[in-house]
Amino acid sequence: QSALTQPASVSGSPGQSITISCAGTSSDVGGYNYVSWYQHHPGKAPKLMIYEVSNRPSGVSNRFSGSKSGNTASLTISGLQAEDEADYYCNSYTSSSTQVFGSGTKVTVL
Amino acid sequence: EVQLVQSATEVKKSGESLRISCKGSGYSFTSYWIGWVRQMPGKGLEWMGIIYPADSHTIYSPSFQGHVTISADKSISTAYLQWSSLRASDTAMYYCAKSLTSGWAYGMDVWGQGTTVTVSS
């Protein structure tokens, strides 16, 4: 199972919006609404930011939103803040009844 | 408070066996899945597999099937990840995580602090 494809890096200035893409296939992202997104600060445990494509867990800022079109899912961070600087990973259920993570995107706040 | 507490850092040699643990507390351990995720040095997250502690039903990623064993002891609310013969390429941080719901495909909402495994050749 190959990793889902994400851009290696995305950057933005404080207050701006950025979008991270997560490209898969009809056997994973495109076939199911089981896409989740995780924020990972180095040295800390990953944090669930979005589940089932667009749902936010309790406690996650509404500056984070998720969507999906075809085989590509997206995470948008609006009103970018310094604390948002981290690695972000998408994850999807697959037709093999497993899960697969994306390749990861490093978000830099300029 | 719902939490997962993982076992301490391990330093082993190639060919040795190892079992690391993940103890859940603050929730019904048998009602949620526990997954394992690997992060090799400087690399991304990799999904290894998942177990339902109530009946030990386990699903493995094809990339890890046959090289690791995932198990659980519901009597002590603990899940395990074990190797019978370590390789240098097993050097990584390993995280356990709890499923958001009783279904395992939706996402993982609580994560352990990670266990660092270093394997020397």
Side-chain angles (χ1 to χ4, degrees):
Chain A
Q1 180 76 51
S2 298
L4 306 174
T5 302
Q6 298 181 230
S9 63
V10 173
S11 61
S13 299
Q16 286 187 330
S17 293
I18 62 170
T19 297
I20 302 167
S21 60
C22 170
T25 69
S26 58
S27 295
D28 38 64
V29 174
Y32 310 92
N33 286 325
Y34 296 141
V35 176
S36 50
W37 288 89
Y38 298 87
Q39 177 190 66
H40 191 201
H41 287 105
K44 300 185 69 176
K47 178 182 178 182
L48 178 66
M49 305 302 284
I50 295 287
Y51 66 96
E52 289 184 85
V53 176
S54 60
N55 295 307
R56 276 188 311 276
S58 173
V60 171
S61 171
N62 59 10
R63 298 186 298 106
F64 292 84
S65 61
S67 62
K68 190 182 83 167
S69 178
N71 296 335
T72 300
S74 298
L75 174 72
T76 297
I77 308 174
S78 58
L80 198 61
Q81 299 180 2
E83 67 207 49
D84 300 331
E85 188 162 291
D87 297 321
Y88 290 83
Y89 296 89
C90 60
N91 176 285
S92 176
Y93 176 78
T94 81
S95 60
S96 302
S97 295
T98 61
Q99 291 184 21
V100 62
F101 278 101
S103 49
T105 297
K106 182 177 180 60
V107 168
T108 300
V109 181
L110 302 172
Chain B
E1 178 192 8
V2 176
Q3 60 178 351
L4 298 174
V5 177
Q6 297 186 229
S7 49
T9 295
E10 298 277 1
V11 179
K12 307 290 281 186
K13 295 183 178 179
S14 292
E16 292 185 331
S17 63
L18 174 66
R19 188 177 76 169
I20 62 176
S21 66
C22 169
K23 183 174 177 61
S25 62
Y27 73 100
S28 174
F29 189 72
T30 54
S31 298
Y32 299 86
W33 294 74
I34 294 286
W36 287 94
V37 174
R38 181 176 81 174
Q39 185 174 38
M40 299 176 73
K43 303 297 185 182
L45 303 179
E46 298 174 271
W47 190 82
M48 301 178 70
I50 200 161
I51 188 166
Y52 192 61
D55 60 6
S56 289
H57 179 58
T58 308
I59 302 168
Y60 291 95
S61 162
S63 299
F64 293 92
Q65 178 105 42
H67 183 54
V68 299
T69 300
I70 295 171
S71 61
D73 185 340
K74 61 185 179 182
S75 69
I76 55 172
S77 300
T78 300
Y80 301 99
L81 177 66
Q82 67 182 64
W83 297 258
S84 59
S85 181
L86 287 161
R87 311 165 182 164
S89 58
D90 293 318
T91 294
M93 174 73 84
Y94 292 88
Y95 293 101
C96 64
K98 165 191 161 294
S99 65
L100 176 66
T101 71
S102 58
W104 63 271
Y106 299 86
M108 313 298 279
D109 66 337
V110 178
W111 292 65
Q113 82 277 20
T115 296
T116 300
V117 174
T118 301
V119 183
S120 61
S121 52

